[in-house]
Amino acid sequence: MSFFGLIRENGVFLLGAMGKTLELTLLSLIFAAFIGLFFGLLNVSKNRICNTIANIYIDCIRGVPLIVLAFFVYFGIPMATGIRLDALTAGIISLSMNAGAYMAEIVRAGIQSIDKGQMEAARSLGLPYGKAMCKVVLPQAIRVMIPSIINQFIITLKDTSILSVIGFPELVKAGQIVIARNFETFKMWAIIAIMYLIVITTLSKTARALERKISYGK
Amino acid sequence: MESKHTESKNMEHNNSKISIKGLRKSFGHLEVLKGMDVEVSEGEVVCLIGPSGSGKSTFLRCLNALETITAGRVIVDGYDLTDKKININKARENIGMVFQHFNLFSNLNVIQNIMLAPVELKKLTKEEARARGMELLAMVGLAEKAQVYPSKLSGGQKQRVAIARALAMNPDIMLFDEPTSALDPEMVGEVLEVMKGLARDGMTMVVVTHEMGFAREVASRVIFMDEGVIVEEGTPQEVLLHPTQPRTIDFLNKVL
């Protein structure tokens, strides 16, 4: 079957799977942002115990491949607890935990890049640490973090493909299903690669534009 | 506020705004302040001079607990800053600080910079804070810059905004950490003018400075420090014009 014939025949199915991929990415990143903010703030705090907790989390998660984490959450946890997770939930948990660790490092680096005079000036006015962080330091840090967050978005989007191993019907899984039926290995993987390429390029270009807009408003 | 003032009556003797006894500060093994005793009365303008690395800025930063104090007692405006139990944020509300590098909040425009603390700390409503902010901006001659972001201001303008921002909390004491050292020479004057105005209005001020002219004209007392100790102190006349200590004479010969 021709390239375009394959697209005609499987387009809707593949686009649906791409939708699932984006849904998984977006949900995971939202949770990852909270996880990252939480551990990032623990990491920059002056409290040693907080730093240690954050470092343990970051080191553990970064030291385990995502595929192992996904197997652990999807197969391991139900075995130990009897709680059965569906593939989407397990996928979101694994991806959020994974991206959260990287986000924590992005948050830490972002905060540390802001001149410490900003925090001192805020504290010297009597603002408590939390207020100074939220009103002065974080708004500036987020601006600095935007390129890294975009980068993490793209990495997480690509990492969703790993979740095909737990049977989540994202784009790679969908590709495997189609190929199992029509054996068009070369053309199908090319189509899927191009689909990823289009989405990721569009995202990074939009994000770049956004980034530029934000820095102009400074 | 109430408890603070009753408390302060017990701790302060007469009208002392700042009372420091045996202040020591170490960074690791390096002792930067080696036992300092300073009293500052209400309305006094104390200028700290001395070579770089003598501990002037560290001393000033101890006065609002931006540095942790290694030993000694520091009582500022009735708050014992060496007491772990005091609310340091409350104490800082009464102590304005102006930094060498301005440290204006770059994510906020000029008026927002000034309004942030009074509004967040519920000292003033938004409208009151804005009105007060505009008043202060007029005082430092920058009313037309209210909506401008700090990155669009000159150094002298930034420092005047920083002074207005500190004043918005109605502090009893103002600390200046080399406020003109990062400025181009032609902008030094405008900042010093604002500071002179404050001094005339009776603000209690501690100023770390290299501006000997300012010290001579405005200071009620000059403290010369070197290597973490006070070498000489007295009126500007005494310290700047008739110094008695060899180290003071040596320093003044180099800078004047």
Side-chain angles (χ1 to χ4, degrees), chain A residues 71-93:
Chain A
F71 280 148
F72 183 77
V73 172
Y74 189 64
F75 298 116
I77 288 180
M79 176 70 101
T81 64
I83 302 165
R84 184 107 192 95
L85 299 170
D86 62 79
L88 177 64
T89 315
I92 289 174
I93 292 174

Side-chain angles (χ1 to χ4, degrees), chain B residues 27-232:
Chain B
F27 293 102
H29 293 297
L30 181 70
E31 191 169 47
V32 178
L33 301 178
K34 301 168 182 164
M36 294 185 59
D37 302 292
V38 179
E39 296 284 329
V40 180
S41 310
E42 186 158 5
E44 251 195 311
V45 177
V46 175
C47 283
L48 274 163
I49 59 169
S52 51
S54 59
K56 307 179 300 284
S57 290
T58 306
F59 171 78
L60 198 73
R61 290 162 59 84
C62 286
L63 297 187
N64 66 356
L66 279 182
E67 299 292 350
T68 54
I69 291 151
T70 310
R73 253 178 105 91
V74 176
I75 298 171
V76 179
D77 208 24
Y79 287 94
D80 184 350
L81 300 187
T82 39
D83 180 357
K84 290 260 186 296
K85 290 191 290 290
I86 66 142
N87 181 349
I88 187 62
N89 297 322
K90 268 279 171 242
R92 283 176 176 148
E93 287 179 10
N94 299 310
I95 312 168
M97 179 135 181
V98 175
F99 299 85
Q100 181 178 356
H101 295 289
F102 330 121
N103 297 349
L104 291 182
F105 307 136
S106 52
N107 57 318
L108 302 175
N109 68 24
V110 165
I111 191 76
Q112 289 167 337
N113 259 274
I114 298 173
M115 289 165 63
L116 180 70
V119 173
E120 285 298 322
L121 298 170
K122 312 241 184 313
K123 294 267 152 191
L124 300 173
T125 66
K126 253 193 163 143
E127 292 67 38
E128 288 167 348
R130 187 179 302 278
R132 176 77 181 127
M134 289 312 294
E135 221 174 274
L136 288 165
L137 279 179
M139 191 194 94
V140 299
L142 290 170
E144 78 283 5
K145 299 286 186 191
Q147 305 301 330
V148 171
Y149 278 84
S151 56
K152 299 281 188 297
L153 298 176
S154 73
Q157 291 172 331
K158 281 183 194 168
Q159 198 59 298
R160 285 186 281 155
V161 172
I163 294 172
R165 179 177 69 179
L167 290 173
M169 289 298 292
N170 277 327
D172 295 333
I173 297 167
M174 286 284 283
L175 309 176
F176 293 85
D177 187 4
E178 303 199 24
T180 57
S181 297
L183 298 179
D184 292 336
E186 73 267 28
M187 291 170 184
V188 171
E190 62 191 65
V191 172
L192 293 182
E193 272 318 307
V194 172
M195 292 170 63
K196 282 178 199 170
L198 278 178
R200 271 196 301 274
D201 294 342
M203 178 65 79
T204 308
M205 293 162 60
V206 182
V207 185
V208 171
T209 188
H210 292 292
E211 295 295 327
M212 297 304 151
F214 174 81
R216 194 158 43 208
E217 189 183 337
V218 183
S220 26
R221 193 146 42 102
V222 174
I223 296 176
F224 172 72
M225 61 183 287
D226 192 18
E227 294 181 355
V229 293
I230 294 174
V231 176
E232 192 164 358

Side-chain angles (χ1 to χ4, degrees), chain A residues 161-180:
Chain A
S161 61
I162 291 172
L163 299 177
S164 60
V165 297
I166 59 170
F168 182 75
E170 45 66 66
L171 191 53
V172 169
K173 187 75 198 166
Q176 288 171 334
I177 291 167
V178 174
I179 290 166

Side-chain angles (χ1 to χ4, degrees), chain A residues 139-140 142-147 150 206-218, chain B residues 106-107 149 151-152:
Chain A
Q140 297 179 47
I142 285 169
R143 202 190 288 274
V144 178
M145 282 153 49
I146 285 171
I150 294 161
T206 330
R208 251 337 107 64
L210 183 79
E211 187 191 323
R212 227 174 290 131
K213 204 170 152 194
I214 290 171
S215 63
Y216 279 144
K218 202 168 181 174
Chain B
S106 52
N107 57 318
Y149 278 84
S151 56
K152 299 281 188 297

Side-chain angles (χ1 to χ4, degrees), chain A residues 2 6 33 38 66 81 94 117 148-149 159 181 187:
Chain A
S2 79
L6 281 171
F38 178 72
L66 179 57
T81 64
S94 334
S148 311
I149 292 175
D159 279 353
R181 221 170 34 222
K187 286 175 193 154

